[in-house]
Amino acid sequence: MSNTKTSPTPPPFEPELARVLPTFAAFAPVNMTADQIEKYRAMPVPSIADQIGDRPVQCVDFTIPGYQGVDMVVSVISRKDHARPGPGIYHIHGGGMVMANRFAGALDLVAWAMKFDAVCVTVEYRRAPENPAPIPVEDCYAGLAWMAAHAEELLVDPERIIIFGGSAGGGLSAGTTLLARDREGPKLFGQLLQCPMIDDRNETVSSYQFQGIGIWDRISNLTGWTALLGDRRGTDDVSIYAAPARATDLSGLPPTFIDVGAAEVFRDEGVAYASAIWAAGGDAELHVWGGAFHGFSQMAPDAAVSRAANAAREAWLERLLSR
């Protein structure tokens, strides 16, 4: 058996994605160490106004109590003509647990507000390392609880709230879903996890295959997890809510969609999570996109594989919401 510690050969990037990858070199967090977190935090996220553009969509901010009552902001994105209770999408942004803000990835929320007349809530959770576990996932749970409690005034159907996140946001979404299950909190209608960051141990083959290449690599991943967990990373003292791959019981979860690139660090943990949901008798759909790097569908949305991935994600949402 090959020794994964020796950086096994990674699968190739899909040619169309490989051609655009060099354009991201200046700002892709590869080989990121703790002293570089501030540098990557300073990189701009498109404003919500730019992401809305000329579409008839509004964004309204609320200050709500986060974990232990500390104030945090959520933004509610909906169609301006939203008039009756519809589906809710609760969004948790990515950024390796350490960077970005609630509007990272909000383009999907604007699109789904338009297409499904969904009310989307995106949460400004506190980030590591200043706010280590359990603060980020507890903030995310507090935001979900607020959304469910205020469903009537937000014109959200409380029976049809879907949680959605990518990368660190996918991991925090999975952790929030486990918290909601175990606390008998808000009943989620579905969870949509894009290339989720769910395993602090970094012992999969894919975690060793991607070092120094792609968009988010093994070194950056270790930095993000260390920021969140400190000396606990990789030990037995890690909560399933911080690192959902550690959960041994994945029963009782809502229908789940997971997608991941075949050419990224998170490939194997995403596949394992879907397999564990099936093993527990759950409902999960898994897509592994050949040759795709981390975050490909948002970073290179015009690539053929990205268009296919975005269409598959939207088709799953459409099927779920038609139930």
Side-chain angles (χ1 to χ4, degrees):
M1 194 166 85
S2 67
N3 180 2
T4 55
K5 306 288 193 271
T6 58
S7 297
T9 305
F13 293 116
E14 194 275 334
E16 192 177 10
L17 293 179
R19 284 195 296 274
V20 302
L21 195 51
T23 64
F24 302 121
F27 57 89
V30 173
N31 287 322
M32 182 183 77
T33 50
D35 60 317
Q36 295 175 311
I37 289 173
E38 285 305 323
K39 168 191 158 184
Y40 287 107
R41 280 184 177 176
M43 292 185 178
V45 169
S47 73
I48 191 60
D50 286 345
Q51 294 184 75
I52 290 172
D54 60 2
R55 287 176 285 195
V57 169
Q58 61 192 355
C59 176
V60 180
D61 292 345
F62 293 84
T63 299
I64 70 167
Y67 179 50
Q68 295 179 332
V70 175
D71 280 355
M72 68 177 184
V73 176
V74 297
S75 293
V76 179
I77 297 166
S78 62
R79 280 189 356 198
K80 289 180 176 176
D81 65 353
H82 182 73
R84 64 178 62 86
I89 294 175
Y90 182 68
H91 174 247
I92 304 175
H93 73 80
M97 305 289 179
V98 298
M99 56 195 173
N101 66 33
R102 68 188 181 282
F103 298 127
L107 207 54
D108 286 326
L109 307 181
V110 175
W112 295 338
M114 288 298 299
K115 176 160 185 169
F116 301 118
D117 197 15
V119 174
C120 304
V121 175
T122 184
V123 59
E124 197 68 64
Y125 60 87
R126 286 171 284 173
R127 304 169 302 189
E130 297 89 343
N131 301 285
I135 293 170
V137 74
E138 289 285 1
D139 274 354
C140 294
Y141 180 79
L144 175 65
W146 177 87
M147 182 182 185
H150 292 81
E152 187 174 348
E153 66 198 71
L154 295 172
L155 291 178
V156 168
D157 178 350
E159 303 296 313
R160 291 159 69 79
I161 296 175
I162 297 163
I163 196 167
F164 161 56
S167 194
L172 289 164
S173 293
T176 300
T177 300
L178 290 169
L179 278 172
R181 178 197 68 179
D182 294 347
R183 291 175 178 171
E184 298 181 1
K187 187 168 170 54
L188 287 162
F189 192 59
Q191 61 171 341
L192 200 168
L193 311 177
Q194 275 181 278
C195 47
M197 178 179 177
I198 52 177
D199 196 342
D200 65 294
R201 294 164 294 194
N202 291 286
E203 289 298 324
T204 62
V205 171
S206 61
S207 88
Y208 284 99
Q209 284 180 316
F210 293 92
Q211 302 199 62
I213 56 171
I215 295 293
W216 176 260
D217 74 330
R218 176 177 176 79
I219 303 303
S220 302
N221 203 40
L222 290 168
T223 298
W225 279 113
T226 302
L228 184 72
L229 298 170
D231 293 343
R232 290 178 290 155
R233 180 184 59 75
T235 71
D236 292 334
D237 185 25
V238 174
S239 159
I240 65 169
Y241 310 117
R246 290 174 170 269
T248 55
D249 174 16
L250 293 183
S251 62
L253 298 181
T256 299
F257 180 100
I258 297 173
D259 68 353
V260 69
E264 70 158 299
V265 168
F266 296 137
R267 179 194 68 218
D268 295 348
E269 58 200 68
V271 171
Y273 204 66
S275 297
I277 292 172
W278 293 322
D283 173 353
E285 180 168 324
L286 170 69
H287 295 261
V288 182
W289 298 99
F293 53 68
H294 182 67
F296 69 101
S297 60
Q298 280 158 333
M299 299 190 76
D302 296 327
V305 67
S306 302
R307 293 199 303 270
N310 288 327
R313 202 175 299 125
E314 200 160 279
W316 176 82
L317 266 179
E318 206 157 9
R319 290 195 306 277
L320 182 67
L321 291 171
S322 69
R323 291 183 182 179

